[in-house]
Amino acid sequence: MHFNLKKLTSVVMTGALALSTAVSSFTAAAPSLSASAADDGSNYAKLLQYSLYLYDANMCGSCDGCGMEWRSSCHMSDAVKGGFHDAGDHVMFGLPQGYAASTLGWSYYEFADAYEATGQGAHLKLITDYFCKFFREATQLNGNNVSRILIEKGDGNTDHSYWGPPEKQGNRGEMLWVSSGSADIAAEYAAALACNYVNFKNPDDLKYAKALYNYCKQNAGSKTSRSPFYDSEGSDDDMAWAAGWLYKATNDGSYKNDLISGSKWVGWTHCWNNVTMGAAILKAEATGDWSEVQGFINKSYNGNGYFFLDQWGSARYNCSAQMAVLVAEKYNKANGDWAVNQMKYITGDSAFANGQKHCLVVGFKSNSSRNPHHRAASPEVGADEGLDGTPNKYLLIGALCGGPVDGNGTYADKRSDYKGNEVAVDYNAGLVGAAAGLYHKTKNGSIDTSITGVKKIYGGGSYQPPVTTTQEQPQQTTTAQTQWQQPDTTTTTVTTSGSSGSSKDITLLPADMKVGQEEGSDGAINNYAEFAPQGAKSATIYLTVKSNDTEVSGGFGTWTGKWEQEEYSGVKVNSDKTVSIDYTIPSNVGDTVKAMVWWPHKDDVVIDKVVLHMDGSSAPTTTTTTTTTTTTTTTTTTTTTQPTTTTTTTTTTTTATTQPGKVTASRYGDVNLDGYVSVADAVAILQYIGNKDRYNLSEQQLANADVSGNNDGVTANDALTLMKVDAGSIKESQLPV
């Protein structure tokens, strides 16, 4: 056999909501995600929740989406508004900005289940979207070519002379633009944009990512030097990192080649100035060869003592190392227990060599650091950073302090110590990733429903699902559109009448699936595509063979509590080098189907697309073509009244035929219209039941929500049913029940 067995599991919710008693007050409550959520370092759901708020506290420009009570808009006279303040000051440097955004996106890509199970996905999306909006506006295009890039806002020396909140700083002057060079920063912007496209499918992100990467290639080898502030060592690692994300976004082999040739060695822990570890992991995911990553992890990340690399912000290196190990463990290439033990130092549950314990995450525990080096959280204008006897005015929730300045654990919670007690956007990126990875690994913890100084709680009562509107279209076609953006790839399904009836198909392109390569049991590099069945009865995978092979072999598999696999072999290659293989999806299918190609190997075969057949038919009465457009919606659900209709739909939505004027479910259980069915949809139902005025649902959302006792309206039973789907006791394909 030429495959790697990988279990495909659902997130299990072990703590149930008391629906019969809590519905009326749910707007002030959040789901408990653990039977026992002790307030200690193993509460990874809370750690993930808290760690994201540093970005709210450091938000620059319009703070309309900020979740902190004590922050408001600032620096509105900047030539390009937005982005995030770098650290405890208010200057913006491009290199850590791009690194932080791309690493946050990476954590969502690898551990999306952790974000959605804890209700933090919407918060992460808000942050990475805000980053990427700034990157796009900081990039001026002439056609598809970059004419100049904004790589810094403010001046480090000037900014450091001001001690006070950003809202009172005024115009800080310098905007540093470049029209050549700085390939390192351009690549980090490109990586963040491409990663955000992979996660959330905003076509503008991909457009700018491609343009920035082309700029990097034209300026290859150039780097940014703003010593002593983020003096870059080079750009090769950043370009490999960007190429890896563009390959995931496009499946274009040229990006894969750049990733492989550019990612030559791992020289340091994943950080703002060295992303060789991140690029090496992307290369391993693309090729199936993990030897380089495993070798570095085995050599560098071991032992029970505190992992210490540098006196300046040691905790950031520790956390980013944890994240890398946890990603590798996801692919069975590392032991994540090392990360569990290291996080105990960060959360103050393990003593350093000097016997001291420090919880370095502000507000996380009763003994957490409280006075990080941070102007916005400190006393008002005129205060001195050295006034260590005066506590910070505000609690900088979730911020990761720099940490011990030596391997023994020497640390003091003093505002004046910018080496050991400053915070930064790049510090927290590793903490967020480690927290998500640890929750993915353990499912430990529960989120808080009330946090000091925070006005917007995600996963709890104050998060409102996207508002939708319904518009009538010509020819009795009704389209419900959300306020989010959708990918630039759409699928056009043309259905005609025939002897086998009408057929509804969904086409999944590589960007809509997880497509990659992995090492088989015989050492060969095989191709695979993983996709959600979406209620389809059958699927067809389409391949292009690049070699002279005349036959294709492989298999389809799904995890149903056990691995169920159907193999194929001897499938003939057509004269135009294309191949299509049909697969009947079992009724007990799991959350994911894995399509595997064992022969030909590696780059000798390309997975072009997978077509889901909603009625089980792959008859020629249905013709599916793919076009590329630019739209501004995330989810489009179309209801038609004629049997012969041309329908445009996203790849995550099914199309239903009904009578005019009646809205039917586009996807049962997808209440918030994000293309998935998760605990967040149960939360949306309970919010609606608790306060219909504040948490109103559109007709389309209500139709999707009615999953239990169909056509009886939306009740608490619908929320309970969706939690059972999230826990795996009911399959999405069984909805409605």
Side-chain angles (χ1 to χ4, degrees), residues 166-196:
E167 292 84 355
K168 297 182 179 181
Q169 186 175 15
N171 189 341
R172 59 212 173 147
E174 183 177 9
M175 299 286 120
L176 181 59
W177 294 85
V178 297
S179 56
S180 63
S182 295
D184 48 357
I185 293 178
E188 289 297 332
Y189 287 6
L193 288 160
C195 182
N196 207 49

Side-chain angles (χ1 to χ4, degrees), residues 3-8 528-533 554-560 562-568 583-586 588-598:
F3 67 97
N4 286 337
L5 186 64
K6 183 164 64 175
K7 294 183 179 180
L8 308 169
Y528 71 89
E530 293 180 357
F531 54 90
F556 295 87
T558 185
W559 182 260
T560 63
K562 63 178 180 179
W563 182 254
E564 296 190 11
Q565 183 167 299
E566 179 180 322
E567 300 176 9
Y568 60 86
Y583 170 60
T584 300
I585 299 176
N588 64 335
V589 65
D591 294 336
T592 305
V593 172
K594 185 173 184 178
M596 299 160 284
V597 184
W598 303 331

Side-chain angles (χ1 to χ4, degrees), residues 9-15 33-34 117 439 442-443 723 726-729:
T9 58
S10 300
V11 176
V12 179
M13 174 180 264
T14 56
L33 300 167
S34 173
Y439 185 84
T442 67
K443 308 298 186 290
M723 283 193 285
D726 191 76
S729 59

Side-chain angles (χ1 to χ4, degrees), residues 447-722:
I447 58 176
D448 276 0
T449 60
S450 177
I451 304 173
T452 301
V454 174
K455 64 183 179 182
K456 190 173 184 180
I457 306 293
Y458 292 82
S462 62
Y463 171 64
Q464 186 169 357
V467 178
T468 63
T469 59
T470 302
Q471 302 175 349
E472 288 297 323
Q473 302 292 335
Q475 298 179 351
Q476 296 181 314
T477 300
T478 303
T479 303
Q481 298 179 326
T482 70
Q483 61 189 10
W484 292 356
Q485 293 181 315
Q486 73 176 33
D488 56 350
T489 301
T490 60
T491 301
T492 302
T493 304
V494 180
T495 305
T496 59
S497 299
S499 59
S500 54
S502 64
S503 171
K504 303 296 182 182
D505 289 351
I506 295 176
T507 297
L508 305 178
L509 299 177
D512 307 314
M513 305 179 287
K514 182 174 182 180
V515 177
Q517 294 178 337
E518 61 186 3
E519 184 177 351
S521 57
D522 61 353
I525 304 302
N526 303 316
N527 290 273
Y528 71 89
E530 293 180 357
F531 54 90
Q534 303 186 44
K537 295 181 180 179
S538 65
T540 304
I541 185 171
Y542 291 85
L543 314 170
T544 298
V545 175
K546 301 291 188 180
S547 65
N548 292 324
D549 292 288
T550 60
E551 294 184 351
V552 174
S553 65
F556 295 87
T558 185
W559 182 260
T560 63
K562 63 178 180 179
W563 182 254
E564 296 190 11
Q565 183 167 299
E566 179 180 322
E567 300 176 9
Y568 60 86
S569 61
V571 179
K572 299 297 182 182
V573 179
N574 298 322
S575 58
D576 61 355
K577 309 292 283 186
T578 62
V579 181
S580 62
I581 303 103
D582 295 327
Y583 170 60
T584 300
I585 299 176
S587 59
N588 64 335
V589 65
D591 294 336
T592 305
V593 172
K594 185 173 184 178
M596 299 160 284
V597 184
W598 303 331
W599 186 268
H601 292 312
K602 207 172 180 180
D603 297 332
D604 286 342
V605 66
V606 174
I607 296 175
D608 297 318
K609 62 183 177 181
V610 169
V611 177
L612 301 179
H613 308 294
M614 308 313 292
D615 66 353
S617 171
S618 57
T621 52
T622 298
T623 304
T624 302
T625 60
T626 302
T627 60
T628 301
T629 60
T630 301
T631 63
T632 56
T633 61
T634 299
T635 306
T636 304
T637 305
T638 307
T639 305
T640 65
T641 60
Q642 301 296 328
T644 303
T645 310
T646 299
T647 303
T648 300
T649 177
T650 67
T651 59
T652 58
T653 310
T654 58
T655 305
T657 301
T658 184
Q659 297 300 316
K662 181 176 176 58
V663 177
T664 60
S666 59
R667 179 172 183 172
Y668 280 111
D670 183 15
V671 182
N672 58 17
L673 303 179
D674 64 354
Y676 302 94
V677 177
S678 69
V679 70
D681 298 299
V683 171
I685 290 174
L686 292 176
Q687 288 175 324
Y688 169 77
I689 294 173
N691 189 337
K692 290 185 175 67
D693 292 332
R694 184 177 183 184
Y695 302 106
N696 187 38
L697 298 179
S698 68
E699 291 185 10
Q700 184 62 70
Q701 290 176 298
L702 291 171
N704 289 5
D706 189 10
V707 295
S708 177
N710 198 25
N711 295 322
D712 66 345
V714 177
T715 68
N717 285 331
D718 296 305
L720 180 60
T721 297
L722 293 184

Side-chain angles (χ1 to χ4, degrees), residues 126-146:
L126 180 143
I127 294 166
T128 58
D129 279 351
Y130 199 81
F131 266 118
C132 289
K133 181 177 185 291
F134 170 76
F135 298 150
R136 295 194 305 270
E137 294 178 355
T139 304
Q140 291 187 358
L141 297 181
N142 181 7
N144 290 323
N145 297 316
V146 174

